[in-house]
Amino acid sequence: MSFIKINDRLKKRNKREVRLVPSALGGARIKVLVGSCGHCAKLRDNVIEAMRNLGLAESSLETITDIASIAKMGILATPALIVDGKLVSCGKVLTVPEITKLIAEDQKSE
């Protein structure tokens, strides 16, 4: 319930929640945190397709399915997407164009 209220407030302020996830800094550049539902699988498929569109290797993608690891990162809802240690989406399935935009924005900032 509180997660929905926080997202509603962020939407009203027209801000996107982007926070650093310290335990996610090591390893792959892009991480998809998924549970066992169909929505999680759909986000992972969309991320793979967006990476192909951008010409990125699948080796830069890590899929985390362990709920204990996800909880240690402070993520409360899956599916979630982390790009270069920043949580860019949590609790919803992004489309391929949205993911492509997020990854491309992050590449420009490097």
Side-chain angles (χ1 to χ4, degrees), residues 13-101:
R13 294 180 190 162
N14 203 15
K15 294 182 180 179
R16 192 175 85 216
E17 179 184 10
V18 177
R19 62 183 170 106
L20 201 59
V21 181
S23 58
L25 293 176
R29 181 173 174 258
I30 300 169
K31 297 184 183 212
V32 180
L33 289 69
V34 296
S36 59
C37 67
H39 295 289
C40 295
K42 180 64 177 168
L43 178 66
R44 185 179 186 286
D45 293 342
N46 288 350
V47 169
I48 290 171
E49 187 174 335
M51 289 174 66
R52 286 185 187 143
N53 293 345
L54 291 170
L56 298 173
E58 278 192 46
S59 61
S60 61
L61 174 67
E62 180 180 353
T63 303
I64 301 172
T65 58
D66 181 39
I67 299 298
S69 298
I70 294 170
K72 284 180 184 177
M73 290 181 197
I75 308 300
L76 301 175
T78 58
L81 177 63
I82 297 173
V83 179
D84 286 332
K86 291 179 274 187
L87 179 66
V88 295
S89 173
C90 183
K92 70 177 191 173
V93 178
L94 298 174
T95 63
V96 175
E98 290 172 329
I99 296 167
T100 304
K101 182 180 175 186

